[in-house]
Amino acid sequence: MQRLLDRINSPKDLKALSVEQLRQLAQEVRQEIIATTSHHGGHLASSLGAVEIILAIHYVFNTPRDKIIFDVGHQTYAHKLITGRRESFKTLRNLGGLSGFPNREESEYDCFTTGHASTSISAIAGIACARDLAGEKFKTVAVIGDGSMTGGLAFEALNHVGHIKKDLIVVLNDNEMAISPSVGALSLYLSRLITASSYNRFKGDVEYVLKRIPAIGSTLFETAKRIQKSAASLLKPGSLFEELGFKYVGPVDGHDLDVLIETLRKITAFQIPILFHVLTKKGKGYEYAEAQPSSFHGIRAFDIETGEPLPPPADSPNGPSYSDIFGKHMVQLAEHNPKLVAITAAMAEGTGLIEFAKKFPDRLFDVGIAEQHAVTFAAGLASQGLHPVVAVYSTFLQRAYDQICHDVCLQNLPVVFAIDRAGIVGRDGPTHHGVFDLSYLRGLPNVAILSPTSGPELRAMLEWAVKQSRPVAIRYPRGSPSSATSNLQMTPITLGLPEMLREGDDIAVVALGSMVDVALEAAEELAHEGISVAVVNARFAKPLDERFYCHLTERVKGIVSIEDGVAAGGFGSGLLELILKIKPEKGVGFKILGFPDKFIEHGPRPVLLRKYGLDVAGVADAARKLLGARAETHSHET
Ligand SMILES: Cc1ncc(C[n+]2csc(CCOP(=O)(O)OP(=O)(O)O)c2C)c(N)n1
C-alpha cells in the first residue's frame, strides 16, 4: 500500500487529509525518522516528540508565507519530511546532504537557521515587527522546548514581546526534559501548571459528585470550595505568562491532533502574544527512546530492533572519550580537593559529569541552558575561594563571551573552562563546530589556553589548571584520543612551555592538541623522502614561551602550525605574531594550517579534516611547499 507520506510534497498536500489520515501520517513520519537516524545518528527523541505539533502547525498555518521558527531546530525532522525534502531525507547529516537543523539556504520553509537554544522568540519577534512595519499580514510562530525556555535570551524576548504586544504565537513544547530532566524554578512552575490543570479537571469531578449527595451535598461543596479557594488562586493557569503580557492557553496533549488543530485554529483569531502550552513525550512512538530519552536525544547509528548503538567506524579511535576522561578525573580530583566544584549548562551527560553529579550532588551546579549565567556564576564562586570548573561545549561557550571577558578575565579569577567538542564536531555542522574558541579567547588578557593530545595529558592539564590563580581554558575535541599519542612519555606542564616530541632541522611542525598525531605521522612520511621534521606539541595556545620558539626558529628552515580551528586569529596566527616580534636572525618560512574564513559544512569529522588539509597529506604537502619555496629563493639568490 502506498504511504500517505509519499503523497506529501509540500504542506499544501496535508490540507487535503482528514485528521484521521494525519494520525496515520504521523506514524509513517515516525517510521521514516527512526529508519534514517538509525543509519547516521541524529536527534531522534526530540524529533519523535514533536511530530504532531509539526503536522498540526503545517495543517493550520500557510507556510512558507506564515513563518515558523523551531528553537534549537533539532526537532524538525518531521518538518523536513513534509516540506519537499522527503526524497533527500536519507542524506540527512551526510556531507553534501540535508542539514540536521533548519537552514535558510536549504529550504524556503526554514525561515531562520537554528542550532543553539533559546533564539526562537527573539527571532520571531523581529519578524513580526518587520511584518507590521511593512504592513503585511501573516502569522508568526516560535516552537520552543521547556529546556530552551530556561535560557536568558528567551526570557529577554518574553519581556520585550509582552511589552510590544505583537501578534505572535509561542508554542511551548513541554516534555519536562532538556537533554536530562529540566532543572530550575521555571521547570517547577511548568509542572505546577500541569498539576493545576489536572486539579481543575478534578475540581469539576468533585463538584459533580458532591452536589449529587442528597441534603448535605451543596453545603459540603461550598465548604470544600472555601478551603480550596486560596490554593485555586495560586494555581491559576499561566499567571506568570499572563503577567508578562501573553495570553496563556493550555496545557493540552501535544500528541492529540484533534485538540492541537482545534486550539491552533482558535488562537489564530487573536492578534496578541499567545503562549500555547503543549505537553509531549520525548521519544514518543519508539519504545527505547521513550524509556531512555537522554540517550536518544542525540544518538549515533543504532540497531532499530534492539535500540543499541552500533560500534563506531573502524577508522576512528575507540576507548574512553575525552569527555569520559575529564569526568572521571574530576571525580578523583574532587575527592582530594573540597573546593573543586563543577558547573554545567544542561549538559552533564555530554560533558562527562554524571558520575561527579552522583558523588558530589552539592558540588555540581546544573544551571539550565544558560551559559552566560554559568560563567558569571562560576566567577562568583571563584571570588569566594572555590575552584570552579565550567564544563561546556566550545560552540555554546560563544554565548558567554562577555561573561568570560568582563566577569572572569578582567578580575583574573581562577575559573577553569573545560571546553569539550572543540574543533570540528562532524555531522551537526556549522552551528556546532567548535572552531572559534582559540580566536575568541586568545585576545583576552590573563587567560591561559591549553589543548591536550592524549588522555594522560588532559588529566595533567586539569590538575595543573585547578591549581592556578588565573583563568584557564582547556580545549579538547569530540571523541577519543588517538592511541599513538596516548603512549607518549610526558613532561610536567609548565606555563606556556611546549614539548619537543621529535627533533628535526628542515621543518618544524608545531601542532596543537588533536593535531599532534597528524604531525607525527606526517613527519614519519616526510622522513622517507629525506626531509627532517621536528614535531612540537604546543600544549599552550597562550601564552607562548618566547625562548622555546626563538630557539626553534633558529634551527629550522620553515614552520608549519596546525590547529583544529579557524586560522584567523587562532593559535598559528599567535605564533606568527610572536615570531615577527622576536625577529629571528635567520628568515623562516611559515604556514598556518587551520580552517578558512567560512562556516564549515556538516559531515564526518575525518572527511572534513581531510577536505580542509588538516590531515597527514595536508601537513606533508605544506612542509614540502615551504622547503621548495625556500630552495627556490636560495637558488635565485646564488
Ligand atoms: C545555547 C545552547 N546550549 C546547549 C545546547 C545543547 N542542547 C541541544 S538541545 C538541548 C535540550 C533542549 O531541550 P528542549 O528545548 O526542552 O527540547 P527537547 O529536546 O526536550 O525537545 C540542549 C541542552 C544548545 N543547542 N544550545
Side-chain angles (χ1 to χ4, degrees):
M1 201 178 78
Q2 204 206 12
R3 298 183 308 173
L4 283 174
L5 181 57
D6 296 319
R7 298 187 348 222
I8 309 296
N9 297 315
S10 86
K12 282 195 191 69
D13 299 325
L14 277 191
K15 303 197 188 251
L17 302 184
S18 65
V19 178
E20 192 49 47
Q21 285 175 310
L22 276 188
R23 269 191 277 278
Q24 185 191 326
L25 180 66
Q27 297 312 323
E28 296 174 5
V29 163
R30 282 204 166 85
Q31 278 162 12
E32 190 72 26
I33 292 173
I34 295 166
T36 303
T37 45
S38 74
H39 294 305
H40 299 297
H43 288 98
L44 179 60
S46 311
S47 277
L48 290 177
V51 171
E52 283 84 7
I53 294 179
I54 289 170
L55 293 185
I57 286 177
H58 280 292
Y59 197 63
V60 171
F61 293 95
N62 294 313
T63 53
R65 187 177 153 69
D66 292 334
K67 310 286 180 232
I68 321 293
I69 299 186
F70 294 97
D71 209 279
V72 183
H74 62 317
Q75 74 288 60
T76 47
Y77 296 172
H79 163 79
K80 295 205 175 215
L81 277 168
I82 58 167
T83 51
R85 285 169 274 184
R86 186 189 63 246
E87 295 290 339
S88 49
F89 193 64
K90 55 185 164 312
T91 68
L92 189 75
R93 292 160 52 86
N94 279 346
L95 188 70
L98 290 187
S99 159
F101 296 89
N103 187 328
R104 273 160 62 91
E105 285 170 22
E106 192 178 284
S107 165
E108 60 177 334
Y109 291 94
D110 296 357
C111 71
F112 206 74
T113 298
T114 50
H116 287 199
S118 320
T119 64
S120 62
I121 308 177
S122 299
I124 214 74
I127 291 176
C129 284
R131 169 199 63 199
D132 293 354
L133 282 173
E136 289 184 40
K137 294 242 169 306
F138 57 82
K139 285 285 176 182
T140 51
V141 183
V143 179
I144 181 167
D146 54 306
S148 300
M149 195 62 119
T150 60
L153 186 58
F155 281 102
E156 290 171 32
L158 288 177
N159 180 47
H160 184 212
V161 169
H163 175 65
I164 56 176
K165 297 253 180 297
K166 288 288 165 192
D167 172 9
L168 62 79
I169 298 167
V170 175
V171 178
L172 173 58
N173 174 11
D174 184 359
N175 53 22
E176 300 183 66
M177 301 276 299
I179 294 177
S180 319
S182 287
V183 293
L186 180 75
S187 154
L188 293 178
Y189 174 71
L190 293 176
S191 307
R192 282 206 303 276
L193 286 185
I194 300 168
T195 322
S197 90
S198 352
Y199 158 78
N200 284 333
R201 254 178 275 133
F202 168 76
K203 202 179 75 170
D205 295 345
V206 171
E207 179 175 353
Y208 182 84
V209 173
L210 286 184
K211 282 193 168 163
R212 266 150 194 78
I213 301 176
I216 57 158
S218 294
T219 327
L220 262 183
F221 174 67
E222 285 309 314
T223 315
K225 216 165 83 175
R226 264 201 314 281
I227 294 168
Q228 287 179 338
K229 201 169 168 200
S230 52
S233 68
L234 283 177
L235 297 173
K236 189 168 168 259
S239 56
L240 171 68
F241 299 110
E242 296 270 342
E243 296 293 336
L244 280 171
F246 280 73
K247 177 165 181 54
Y248 173 87
V249 179
V252 306
D253 177 352
H255 300 299
D256 184 333
L257 278 160
D258 291 296
V259 172
L260 285 174
I261 291 168
E262 193 193 320
T263 318
L264 283 172
R265 280 193 174 136
K266 276 189 188 143
I267 61 182
T268 50
F270 294 99
Q271 292 183 348
I272 50 168
I274 300 217
L275 190 126
F276 181 26
H277 189 182
V278 165
L279 309 180
T280 59
K281 182 148 192 59
K282 197 157 177 162
K284 174 84 177 170
Y286 182 49
E287 54 172 319
Y288 302 110
E290 284 194 24
Q292 292 172 280
S294 299
S295 312
F296 281 85
H297 175 88
I299 179 129
R300 64 168 197 253
F302 61 95
D303 179 337
I304 297 182
E305 292 307 315
T306 63
E308 286 300 317
L310 299 180
D315 60 346
S316 61
N318 44 26
S321 67
Y322 276 107
S323 320
D324 295 335
I325 295 166
F326 161 76
K328 214 165 174 190
H329 204 50
M330 280 290 286
V331 171
Q332 284 169 11
L333 291 177
E335 270 157 9
H336 304 288
N337 179 355
K339 293 193 166 178
L340 188 79
V341 291
I343 296 112
T344 175
M347 302 291 286
E349 274 97 359
T351 56
L353 282 174
I354 292 295
E355 203 186 326
F356 188 101
K358 283 189 191 138
K359 287 225 160 119
F360 307 102
D362 53 344
R363 286 158 69 187
L364 182 278
F365 299 97
D366 183 348
V367 298
I369 310 180
E371 289 80 5
Q372 294 167 284
H373 166 63
V375 171
T376 303
F377 173 69
L381 293 168
S383 73
Q384 298 306 304
L386 291 179
H387 300 160
V389 177
V390 182
V392 58
Y393 288 9
S394 168
T395 188
F396 304 137
L397 188 59
Q398 285 164 200
R399 187 158 281 188
Y401 191 62
D402 187 51
Q403 287 71 21
I404 303 171
C405 175
H406 176 270
D407 301 324
V408 177
C409 291
L410 177 62
Q411 306 185 72
N412 201 17
L413 287 167
V415 173
V416 174
F417 297 97
I419 307 180
D420 201 327
R421 305 313 197 259
I424 283 292
V425 293
R427 295 179 188 274
D428 280 342
T431 53
H432 283 60
H433 291 320
V435 290
F436 303 111
D437 55 80
L438 290 165
S439 315
Y440 70 68
L441 290 175
R442 199 171 69 77
L444 296 176
N446 294 333
V447 64
I449 310 168
L450 299 87
S451 191
T453 174
S454 67
E457 201 172 43
L458 170 57
R459 285 196 285 271
M461 286 180 173
L462 193 57
E463 245 166 273
W464 180 86
V466 294
K467 290 186 194 136
Q468 303 305 301
S469 53
R470 63 190 302 161
V472 177
I474 308 174
R475 73 175 316 255
Y476 41 92
R478 178 189 198 121
S480 310
S482 97
S483 50
T485 45
S486 292
N487 301 326
L488 292 174
Q489 280 294 330
M490 224 180 42
T491 54
I493 309 288
T494 310
L495 182 69
L497 204 63
E499 218 189 9
M500 181 63 95
L501 295 181
R502 179 181 172 127
E503 298 286 348
D505 47 26
D506 287 325
I507 293 288
V509 182
V510 184
L512 188 68
S514 58
M515 294 292 115
V516 168
D517 64 329
V518 175
L520 284 169
E521 223 180 305
E524 200 56 42
E525 189 175 309
L526 290 163
H528 294 304
E529 300 169 25
I531 302 174
S532 160
V533 177
V535 175
V536 175
N537 169 14
R539 280 191 168 168
F540 284 80
K542 180 186 177 165
L544 300 174
D545 190 89
E546 216 168 297
R547 272 188 55 182
F548 178 94
Y549 286 111
C550 191
H551 187 56
L552 186 71
T553 51
E554 297 303 333
R555 286 169 53 194
V556 293
K557 301 173 186 114
I559 293 180
V560 176
S561 73
I562 177 164
E563 65 204 281
D564 186 1
V566 290
F571 161 67
S573 83
L575 186 55
L576 185 56
E577 283 164 23
L578 177 76
I579 290 171
L580 289 173
K581 186 179 136 202
I582 58 186
K583 290 199 188 75
E585 304 266 300
K586 214 166 75 162
V588 65
F590 201 98
K591 174 77 186 165
I592 298 173
L593 296 181
F595 289 103
D597 188 14
K598 64 171 222 170
F599 286 99
I600 307 300
E601 66 271 44
H602 61 273
R605 183 176 148 88
V607 175
L608 290 172
L609 290 174
R610 200 175 320 129
K611 175 168 177 188
Y612 289 96
L614 299 178
D615 63 345
V616 175
V619 175
D621 199 41
R624 285 186 207 105
K625 281 196 181 127
L626 264 189
L627 267 186
R630 198 182 158 84
E632 231 171 72
T633 324
H634 278 265
S635 68
H636 287 316
E637 281 167 4
T638 47

